[in-house]
Amino acid sequence: MKPARILTFKCAKCTKPVKVFLQKVSACSHIQPYQGICACGEVKRHATGSPDAVKSYIESTDGNWHHHH
């Protein structure tokens, strides 16, 4: 089953809907990272997959995150 390409969440800052898009950071099946930016400017990250990889991605603060084996 392929992961969804776009997901929608409520912004933590302004509560408006924000769409996050599947990122092409890795062909690895351990994680499917998503990222989007709300109209208010708040960056929203989401991921599914390996708990350690998801935690690392959600806690990263820049756009240079990569999953390493």
Side-chain angles (χ1 to χ4, degrees), residues 3-65:
R5 308 229 6 120
I6 301 171
L7 299 174
T8 303
F9 291 93
K10 197 179 276 190
C11 178
K13 200 176 205 179
C14 73
T15 71
K16 288 182 181 171
V18 56
K19 287 185 179 176
V20 295
F21 299 87
L22 184 62
Q23 303 294 297
K24 296 278 188 188
V25 296
S26 171
C28 172
S29 62
H30 286 89
I31 183 170
Q32 289 83 45
Y34 294 82
Q35 182 173 303
I37 301 175
C38 182
C40 76
E42 185 75 4
V43 174
K44 171 67 180 171
R45 291 174 188 261
H46 175 73
T48 59
S50 165
D52 289 341
V54 168
K55 183 175 187 288
S56 167
Y57 177 69
I58 299 297
E59 291 176 352
S60 68
T61 56
D62 61 33
N64 298 319
W65 181 91

